Structure formats: structure tokens, C-alpha cells
């Protein structure tokens, strides 16, 4: 396993490095909320999915959702983390207009999941291990809406009580690229596990960035600032870039970084102060008197462990060893479970296994390239895995050349039709008849005697000219391998 060197920021007084930790709030995939039976569908009419518990009506008591607990344990196992068989829910006291109870039910001293780790895949094949400090369960707050009427604020409680996993990393990241790789890998793991959809645009995965700076070589931590609720990987990178430079400039000008919570302003590309950073005692945590400690046994954990899917790191290793793929290609394919499943469906066709590397080239370069250009996911592909496998078969058995295959692929994207039907309709089958190709080669040689003499006199680059002329005369249908062999035999 290789590791990267830390990125360095140049300052007026020397070189600096960043120290970054992330707190990710991941909305758990469940049909009901953490302590009530209200629905959790995204995009529902405001305040249409609110129980009396979610609205904090007097006398309403929370009842734990077992599925939420299972999903938290499942995520902890996916993060190779310690599972705590006893955890405690606490009340975290603070006031927001969209927090009906005046406190949030969360976990503090005794979380459901302890220490774990994530291995980051970085450019150049390098890796970095980032520690997971903890994962705890908590309920989400509601949502304040300010844009419908500038004189009033509206509150939507649909999100109130939705199950969140707060996943806290160690301060092991050293730059924007590390943070981006961490979020990509964490999101991939959550999606593979089926515990969170990772959709940052819809708010089901939100990120708080903790960042400080220190001189290179200094092992002490600087004063950190927290940038709250950043909702895209690109915005996380931009916020880190800006905040690190802001802190360096402040220190070098004789000032001091104040521990505080800041907001990312995407319009201006800056962070701005929100409030002083709260500590644990500011929230006055205490065990929730309405909820008993959460306890379960090894059998509960083992049953969840047995249901885990193959996760990205294990799948990547298998793709490299079993299919002979490069680390880069394997990494691209396993980044999303749907991508990996599509690739394996192409390789393992009904008639047997196809060339894994040829399949990877067509899936990654051609299909992913076309989908990305159109802004589509693999689930929206107009070409099925079976259809792409059929195209690969036509290349592998020399029915069509690679150049013609690209033409056929473009037609498949447009029409959704099978490759073989397109090839037959357009008469694109490759010419493999040796006699027919020899006739074309002889004609090209006869018409270009001067260039034959130049080639035989040492101008080796002219060979490509003859190949091009033969392919042109055959309308691209001549088998390139046979063309090369016959030409070499004819002109030396």
C-alpha cells in the first residue's frame, strides 16, 4: 500500500499544511423515522409526513425504529468499525425554530459505533487511511424556508425525526483532494450497503468540514474552524482551499484564528462567520429519560454481518486479480455498485466469459464517456449490458473492426437496437476473404509504384499510407490484421 506526501501551502513565513476532519450526516434509508412511524419520502408536500412525536406534542413518547439500528450497525461493519453492544441516547439541548422539542435526541458518550477506517484511493495509485472516530444515531431537525415571503419564515417538519447517522472522521486528511476522495469512498460504501443514497443535492448526505493549519513539521494542532452544511464534493474542496488560505493569511499578519462555526457562501466563494464554536457542555447533554439504553447481542451483529455485500475495496481487488484489470480501470468500475454490476454482466455473457479488458475498454471509455457527456447515470443507459456484450462479440470474432464498432455503437446509443441487426442492415461485416483483400492490395500497389519504391528505399512511415488506401477502397470493411499481413508480404 502506497501513501501520498502531504500537500504544502506556501506562505510569507514558510510552508504550511492543512489538518482536516469531516463530520458527515447521512440520512438512513428506512420507511419510517427514528422514533415514529411517519413516512420519510423526499419531496412530499410540506408538513404532510409529521406524527405527533415529530411535532413534539405534549405526552408523546419516542419508540426506537429497529431498522434504523440495523442500518447503523450495517454501516459500522462496512467501515470495519467496532460495534458497541450497548449505547445510550441523550438529549442535545439547543434552540432552532425548526426543532420542535427544543432538543435533539442524539448519542454522545456512548455511540452505537466506535473506531473504524476508510482507505482512500488517490491519484497515481496512492492510498491514505483515514480513521473513523465514531458513528452515532440522531434525529434530524425540520427545515426553515425563507424564500417564499421575505417578511416571514415558514417551517416544514417533514424532515423532523428522520434518522441520521453522524459519521465523524479523525483529522487525518491533509488537503481538498483527500477530503474529496474520502467523501467519494464513504458515499460508495453507504450505497453498496444500502444504508444511505448519498444524494448530496437532496440533502440526504451533508458535510461539516473541520479545518486548521500548522507549519510543516509542527505536530501540534492549530485552532480549528468548522464550516457547516456543505452540500457537494466540489463545494467542500472550494471551502477547504479558501478557509486554509484565510487562516494562514490571518496568522501571518499577526492575528489569531478564533474557534468558530462558519458558513460556505458559494456565490462569493468565501466562508463567513456564523457563531462561536459550541463545545459539548454548551449543549448540556444528558441521557434521554424516555429511552432505555440500546442493547443487543453478538447474534444480532453476526446476522447483519452475514448479509453484507462485497464492498468497493474487496470488489476492486477481485477485479484486478480475477479479470486482470489495471488498478485505475478497476477503481472506475467499482466506484458505483451499478457500474460494477453492469461490467460483470457484460463480461459474463450467456455464451460464456468475454475478454475482460476489451469489455472494460468499451464500458469505461465508450459507454461511460457517452453517458457522462449526456449527464446520465448507468441506470439510464439506452444500451443494456447484453447489447454491449453482443457488440464486443462482433469485435472479438472479427465480424467488425474496432473502427466500425464505434459507428455501430453510436447507432445503438441513438436507437437502442442490437449491434448485429445494425451491422446486417448496413452491410458492415468485415471482409476476411484473403483473395478479395489481396485484389485490393494489388490495385493499391499498382497505382502507387513510386511510393512502393520510396518505402522499399527506407521510408517506413509510408506503410501506414498503404494501409489507409486499402481500408479506403474496402470502405473500412477489410480486416486490418489481414491487410497488414498481406501488405508486408507484397512490398517487403
Amino acid at each position: 500500500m502506497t501513501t501520498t506526501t502531504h500537500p504544502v501551502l506556501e506562505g510569507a513565513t514558510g510552508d504550511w499544511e492543512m489538518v482536516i476532519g469531516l463530520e458527515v450526516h447521512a440520512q438512513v434509508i428506512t420507511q419510517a423515522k427514528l422514533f415514529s412511524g411517519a413516512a420519510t419520502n423526499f419531496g412530499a408536500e410540506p408538513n404532510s409526513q409529521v406524527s405527533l412525536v415529530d411535532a413534539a406534542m405534549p405526552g408523546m413518547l419516542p419508540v426506537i425504529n429497529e431498522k434504523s439500528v440495523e442500518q447503523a450497525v450495517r454501516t459500522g461493519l462496512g467501515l470495519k468499525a467496532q460495534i458497541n453492544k450497548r449505547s445510550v441516547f441523550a438529549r442535545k439541548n439547543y434552540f432552532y425554530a425548526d426543532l420542535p422539542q427544543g432538543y435533539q435526541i442524539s448519542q454522545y458518550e456512548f455511540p452505537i459505533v466506535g473506531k473504524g477506517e476508510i482507505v482512500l484511493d488517490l491519484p497515481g495509485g496512492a492510498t491514505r487511511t483515514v480513521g473513523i472516530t465514531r458513528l452515532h444515531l440522531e434525529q434530524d431537525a425540520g427545515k426553515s424556508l425563507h424564500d417564499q415571503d421575505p417578511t416571514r419564515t415558514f417551517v416544514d417538519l417533514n424532515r423532523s425525526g428522520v434518522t441520521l447517522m453522524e459519521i465523524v472522521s479523525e483529522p487525518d486528511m491533509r488537503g481538498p483532494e483527500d477530503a474529496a476522495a474520502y467523501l467519494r469512498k464513504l458515499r460508495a460504501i453507504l450505497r453498496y450497503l444500502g444504508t444511505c443514497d448519498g444524494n448530496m443535492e437532496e440533502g440526504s448526505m451533508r458535510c461539516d468540514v473541520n479545518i486548521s493549519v500548522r507549519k510543516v513539521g509542527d505536530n501540534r494542532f492549530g485552532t480549528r474552524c468548522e464550516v457547516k452544511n456543505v452540500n457537494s464534493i466540489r463545494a467542500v474542496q472550494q471551502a477547504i482551499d479558501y478557509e486554509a488560505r484565510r487562516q494562514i493569511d490571518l496568522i501571518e499578519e499577526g492575528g489569531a484564528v478564533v474557534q468558530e462555526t462558519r458558513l460556505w457562501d458559494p456565490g462569493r466563494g468565501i466562508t463567513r462567520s456564523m457563531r462561536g464554536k459550541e463545545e459539548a457542555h454548551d449543549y448540556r447533554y444528558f441521557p434521554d429519560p424516555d429511552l432505555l439504553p440500546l442493547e443487543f447481542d453478538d447474534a444480532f451483529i453476526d446476522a447483519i454481518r452475514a448479509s453484507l455485500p462485497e464492498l468497493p475495496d474487496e470488489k476492486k481487488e477481485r477485479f484486478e486479480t480475477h479479470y486482470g484489470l489495471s488498478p485505475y480501470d478497476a477503481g472506475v468500475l467499482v466506484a458505483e455498485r451499478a457500474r460494477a454490476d453492469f461490467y460483470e454482466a457484460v463480461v459474463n455473457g450467456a455464451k460464456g466469459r468475454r475478454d475482460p479488458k476489451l469489455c472494460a475498454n468499451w464500458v469505461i471509455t465508450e459507454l461511460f464517456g457517452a453517458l457522462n457527456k449526456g449527464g446520465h447515470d448507468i441506470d439510464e443507459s439506452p444500451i443494456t449490458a447484453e447489447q454491449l456484450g453482443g457488440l464486443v462479440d462482433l469485435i472479438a470474432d472479427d465480424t467488425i473492426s474496432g473502427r466500425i464498432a464505434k459507428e455501430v455503437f453510436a447507432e445503438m446509443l441513438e436507437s437502442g437496437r442490437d449491434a448485429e441487426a445494425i451491422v446486417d442492415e448496413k452491410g458492415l461485416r468485415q471482409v476476411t476473404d484473403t483473395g478479395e483483400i489481396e485484389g485490393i492490395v494489388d490495385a493499391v500497389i499498382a497505382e502507387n509504384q513510386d511510393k512502393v519504391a520510396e518505402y522499399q528505399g527506407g521510408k517506413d512511415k509510408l506503410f501506414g499510407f498503404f494501409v489507409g488506401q486499402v481500408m479506403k477502397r474496402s470502405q473500412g470493411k477489410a480486416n486490418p490484421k489481414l491487410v497488414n499481413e498481406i501488405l508486408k508480404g507484397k512490398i517487403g
Side-chain angles (χ1 to χ4, degrees):
M1 180 179 290
T2 58
T3 57
T4 61
T5 57
H6 296 166
V8 172
L9 293 176
E10 295 181 4
T13 62
D15 292 337
W16 299 78
E17 73 172 358
M18 295 168 273
V19 178
I20 302 162
L22 300 182
E23 299 172 14
V24 173
H25 293 83
Q27 181 175 320
V28 174
I29 295 175
T30 58
Q31 296 301 309
K33 296 182 180 180
L34 182 54
F35 298 116
S36 83
T40 59
N41 299 321
F42 178 78
E45 286 295 312
N47 297 308
S48 63
Q49 300 180 159
V50 186
S51 75
L52 296 177
V53 173
D54 308 323
M57 290 293 116
M60 296 297 103
L61 297 177
V63 178
I64 190 72
N65 179 349
E66 184 178 347
K67 182 65 175 180
S68 296
V69 176
E70 292 176 6
Q71 293 286 61
V73 172
R74 187 175 177 84
T75 302
L77 293 171
L79 297 174
K80 300 179 177 62
Q82 169 192 346
I83 307 300
N84 298 321
K85 288 182 283 186
R86 183 182 188 276
S87 59
V88 176
F89 284 101
R91 291 186 179 181
K92 180 180 180 181
N93 294 273
Y94 62 96
F95 173 78
Y96 276 158
D98 51 21
L99 190 67
Q101 296 156 309
Y103 60 84
Q104 179 187 36
I105 302 178
S106 182
Q107 293 183 316
Y108 175 53
E109 290 183 281
F110 306 104
I112 192 169
V113 175
K115 299 284 188 181
E117 66 177 32
I118 290 180
V119 178
L120 309 188
D121 303 310
L122 299 170
T127 60
R128 187 191 304 287
T129 299
V130 172
I132 299 297
T133 307
R134 57 189 276 139
L135 177 157
H136 64 260
L137 284 171
E138 64 185 22
Q139 58 179 178
D140 204 351
K143 183 177 182 181
S144 295
L145 306 171
H146 310 286
D147 55 354
Q148 297 184 21
D149 182 337
T151 65
R152 294 185 293 174
T153 294
F154 297 84
V155 176
D156 178 7
L157 294 181
N158 278 351
R159 210 167 64 186
S160 177
V162 165
T163 308
L164 295 180
M165 297 181 291
E166 181 169 346
I167 304 165
V168 182
S169 83
E170 294 287 328
D172 292 339
M173 288 163 271
R174 294 295 178 265
E177 294 77 16
D178 282 4
Y182 174 88
L183 289 171
R184 283 192 291 266
K185 177 59 80 64
L186 177 60
R187 184 169 62 182
I189 291 171
L190 296 177
R191 286 178 167 174
Y192 268 73
L193 292 168
T195 57
C196 174
D197 65 22
N199 193 327
M200 299 186 79
E201 293 75 18
E202 294 181 359
S204 55
M205 183 170 154
R206 311 192 292 274
C207 181
D208 298 340
V209 181
N210 289 283
I211 179 170
S212 64
V213 296
R214 64 188 179 189
K215 283 291 186 69
V216 171
D218 187 349
N219 292 324
R220 296 171 299 176
F221 290 122
T223 302
R224 65 186 171 91
C225 291
E226 180 183 40
V227 184
K228 292 286 287 185
N229 287 333
V230 190
N231 64 359
S232 76
I233 293 176
R234 182 168 178 266
V236 166
Q237 292 180 281
Q238 291 173 330
I240 290 171
D241 276 329
Y242 175 84
E243 181 60 21
R245 180 52 62 186
R246 184 191 73 84
Q247 292 184 19
I248 292 170
D249 291 344
L250 183 61
I251 296 169
E252 291 189 328
E253 290 169 3
V257 176
V258 176
Q259 185 167 322
E260 62 180 346
T261 298
R262 300 178 69 84
L263 290 176
W264 170 244
D265 185 333
R268 299 166 62 193
I270 64 171
T271 64
R272 50 187 176 84
S273 182
M274 179 182 177
R275 61 176 181 266
K277 172 63 179 172
E278 299 92 341
E279 300 293 351
H281 62 264
D282 294 321
Y283 292 118
R284 305 184 310 283
Y285 282 100
F286 64 87
D288 192 304
D290 294 331
L291 289 161
L292 292 172
L294 182 61
E295 297 182 349
F296 41 76
D297 56 18
D298 287 330
F300 179 78
I301 300 171
D302 291 342
I304 296 172
R305 192 193 309 274
S307 71
L308 294 183
E310 183 181 40
L311 292 171
D313 287 343
E314 291 73 27
K315 193 179 289 288
K316 180 174 181 286
E317 182 178 356
R318 179 170 65 83
F319 277 23
E320 291 176 34
T321 56
H322 186 64
Y323 295 127
L325 301 183
S326 69
Y328 174 81
D329 285 350
V332 170
L333 291 168
V334 306
E336 297 285 349
R337 186 174 182 176
R339 287 184 175 188
D341 291 345
F342 188 98
Y343 168 73
E344 291 211 89
V346 174
V347 173
N348 301 307
K351 297 179 181 178
R353 178 165 152 172
R354 301 182 174 100
D355 182 336
K357 293 182 181 179
L358 181 60
C359 291
N361 287 340
W362 276 90
V363 171
I364 294 172
T365 305
E366 303 301 331
L367 182 61
F368 289 175
L371 293 175
N372 290 340
K373 187 175 180 181
H376 299 298
D377 294 327
I378 191 68
D379 296 331
E380 302 169 298
S381 173
I383 300 175
T384 66
E386 183 180 357
Q387 286 177 315
L388 188 59
L391 178 64
V392 171
D393 288 340
L394 296 179
I395 301 167
D397 65 12
D398 288 332
T399 298
I400 57 175
S401 66
R403 188 187 69 79
I404 290 177
K406 291 188 177 183
E407 181 182 332
V408 174
F409 178 79
E411 175 67 24
M412 292 171 71
L413 276 176
E414 188 70 27
S415 66
R417 298 170 63 207
D418 290 348
E420 190 161 12
I422 295 169
V423 167
D424 288 340
E425 179 187 286
K426 296 194 171 184
L428 298 175
R429 288 184 180 273
Q430 192 164 236
V431 175
T432 56
D433 181 271
T434 304
E436 185 175 346
I437 295 175
E438 277 191 351
I440 298 172
V441 169
D442 288 341
V444 169
I445 291 174
E447 291 175 4
N448 295 278
Q449 284 296 310
D450 54 337
K451 286 187 170 56
V452 171
E454 290 179 41
Y455 172 77
Q456 293 175 337
K459 287 192 175 182
D460 296 341
K461 291 182 179 179
L462 281 173
F463 190 81
F465 165 79
F466 291 108
V467 173
Q469 291 298 304
V470 174
M471 296 305 293
K472 183 178 179 181
R473 275 180 175 260
S474 69
Q475 296 180 317
K477 297 177 186 177
N479 182 297
K481 184 179 178 182
L482 286 176
V483 170
N484 276 266
E485 289 176 357
I486 294 170
L487 268 171
K488 286 177 182 175
K490 295 279 186 180
I491 62 175

